[in-house]
Amino acid sequence: MTTLIAWVACDSAKQASVYLASDSRLSWDSKGYWDHGRKIFSSDKYADILGYCGEALFCSQQLSQIITHIDSCRTFEEVLEPTARSEIIFNQIKLSFGPYPKAFALPSFSVIYLTRRGKFDFCAYVIRWSRKTGWSKEELKVKYQSSLIIVDGSGAVGYRVLHQNQIEKSDFGFNSRGYFYALHRFISSGRDIATGGAPQLACLYNVGPAQKLGTIYNGSRHLYGLEVPRSEYLDDIRWVNDTLESCSGMEMSRLPEAQPQPIPTKLL
């Protein structure tokens, strides 16, 4: 399946941003895996991010289609209430899954939806399908202190154990750097056979549309699972390393003006 995490970053008891991150591995039980699958989809125009775990074929196609619909048809232009937006997405997923050949589907899958109600006010929803229980949609609690919103997928337990045992006790245990560094560390550990490849990352700030972030992993650049070669326009997006330092897309090193975010000594 995957490891999919979402968290909120807060500043002075105000919500400043939310993030959605995942690995990039698609796997077929013991038959093999591919470490370049896209799992996160962000709008170019609106404050909307979607991600999934489980049932890669349906979810990757469906979420790509939904984001294209949102951006191209001004679907959310006048739908401002996040609950209504989540309901549109929920209904579209259910409609499309109706004729999907269930014999080829995994027993369950989930979709995470992040959006913004207003400045300093973010929302998160999880949509789930189970062969046993059917459909459900739940609004998740987004706290007013930096914290995880949800950890989902086959690596969920392993990620939480690693974070609790190693990262929580460090200087950046309960902030964005800690949550993202824990994902890097968990992927590299190989503790979950269905979790692998480069981390994927998108975020929402208090204003503006969703932001795609490129990641530096094992000496290579990656954008939503795609390994990106050196080229002239790399720095049109923000690149980050394992502690969320802003990096040069060309050189893959921390930008001179970027705030250093060193790994705590006890974690080295």
Side-chain angles (χ1 to χ4, degrees), residues 133-187:
T133 59
W135 289 102
S136 66
K137 178 170 71 78
E138 175 189 0
E139 182 169 1
L140 302 169
K141 185 174 182 60
V142 182
K143 298 180 180 179
Y144 286 86
Q145 60 187 42
S146 296
S147 54
L148 289 167
I149 299 170
I150 189 172
V151 183
D152 206 351
S154 59
V157 173
Y159 173 88
R160 286 190 180 275
V161 169
L162 183 146
H163 186 269
Q164 181 178 8
N165 292 342
Q166 300 180 26
I167 312 302
E168 280 187 7
K169 301 172 185 178
S170 72
D171 295 340
F172 62 15
F174 294 99
N175 59 37
S176 293
R177 290 170 288 149
Y179 298 131
F180 193 56
Y181 180 73
L183 180 62
H184 269 256
R185 197 155 178 153
F186 181 65
I187 292 172

Side-chain angles (χ1 to χ4, degrees), residues 41-49 67 70-71 209-212:
F41 302 81
S42 52
S43 171
D44 289 329
K45 295 183 178 181
Y46 303 99
D48 299 293
I49 302 173
I67 287 294
I70 288 170
D71 283 348
Q211 298 294 308
K212 303 174 179 67

Side-chain angles (χ1 to χ4, degrees), residues 20-262:
L20 187 63
S22 78
D23 69 306
S24 297
R25 176 167 292 179
L26 305 184
S27 55
W28 294 268
D29 297 325
S30 60
K31 297 179 182 179
Y33 60 83
W34 184 54
D35 281 345
H36 301 282
R38 184 171 182 175
K39 298 184 179 181
I40 292 179
F41 302 81
S42 52
S43 171
D44 289 329
K45 295 183 178 181
Y46 303 99
D48 299 293
I49 302 173
L50 292 164
Y52 72 89
C53 54
E55 195 46 51
L57 176 59
F58 173 77
C59 290
S60 62
Q61 292 296 305
Q62 179 68 165
L63 300 193
S64 175
Q65 292 165 338
I66 288 174
I67 287 294
T68 299
H69 180 216
I70 288 170
D71 283 348
S72 302
C73 301
R74 295 189 287 182
T75 308
F76 287 169
E77 193 71 25
E78 296 182 1
V79 183
L80 303 180
E81 170 54 42
T83 300
R85 294 159 83 98
S86 71
E87 196 66 18
I88 291 172
I89 292 170
F90 185 36
N91 289 333
Q92 185 62 67
I93 291 173
K94 289 192 294 182
L95 177 66
S96 294
F97 194 64
Y100 191 78
K102 309 301 188 296
F104 299 102
L106 292 176
S108 63
F109 67 83
S110 57
V111 172
I112 307 301
Y113 172 46
L114 301 184
T115 188
R116 186 177 60 229
R117 180 170 281 113
K119 197 171 184 180
F120 310 121
D121 191 2
F122 295 98
C123 303
Y125 300 84
V126 58
I127 294 167
R128 299 189 188 278
W129 178 80
S130 166
R131 191 174 294 165
K132 292 182 178 180
T133 59
W135 289 102
S136 66
K137 178 170 71 78
E138 175 189 0
E139 182 169 1
L140 302 169
K141 185 174 182 60
V142 182
K143 298 180 180 179
Y144 286 86
Q145 60 187 42
S146 296
S147 54
L148 289 167
I149 299 170
I150 189 172
V151 183
D152 206 351
S154 59
V157 173
Y159 173 88
R160 286 190 180 275
V161 169
L162 183 146
H163 186 269
Q164 181 178 8
N165 292 342
Q166 300 180 26
I167 312 302
E168 280 187 7
K169 301 172 185 178
S170 72
D171 295 340
F172 62 15
F174 294 99
N175 59 37
S176 293
R177 290 170 288 149
Y179 298 131
F180 193 56
Y181 180 73
L183 180 62
H184 269 256
R185 197 155 178 153
F186 181 65
I187 292 172
S188 298
S189 74
R191 296 185 184 188
D192 177 41
I193 194 172
T195 296
Q200 303 179 24
L201 183 64
C203 72
L204 298 176
Y205 298 119
N206 271 304
V207 294
Q211 298 294 308
K212 303 174 179 67
L213 285 80
T215 62
I216 309 297
Y217 182 73
N218 285 349
S220 299
R221 310 169 196 85
H222 300 265
L223 181 61
Y224 288 173
L226 175 71
E227 185 170 348
V228 179
R230 186 182 178 93
S231 65
E232 183 178 358
Y233 301 107
L234 284 171
D235 290 320
D236 286 352
I237 67 167
R238 182 187 172 198
W239 295 88
V240 298
N241 60 16
D242 53 355
T243 59
L244 290 180
E245 291 178 327
S246 293
C247 295
S248 164
M250 293 287 283
E251 305 302 328
M252 295 187 288
S253 57
R254 180 173 57 84
L255 293 168
E257 67 274 16
Q259 175 71 33
Q261 308 287 1

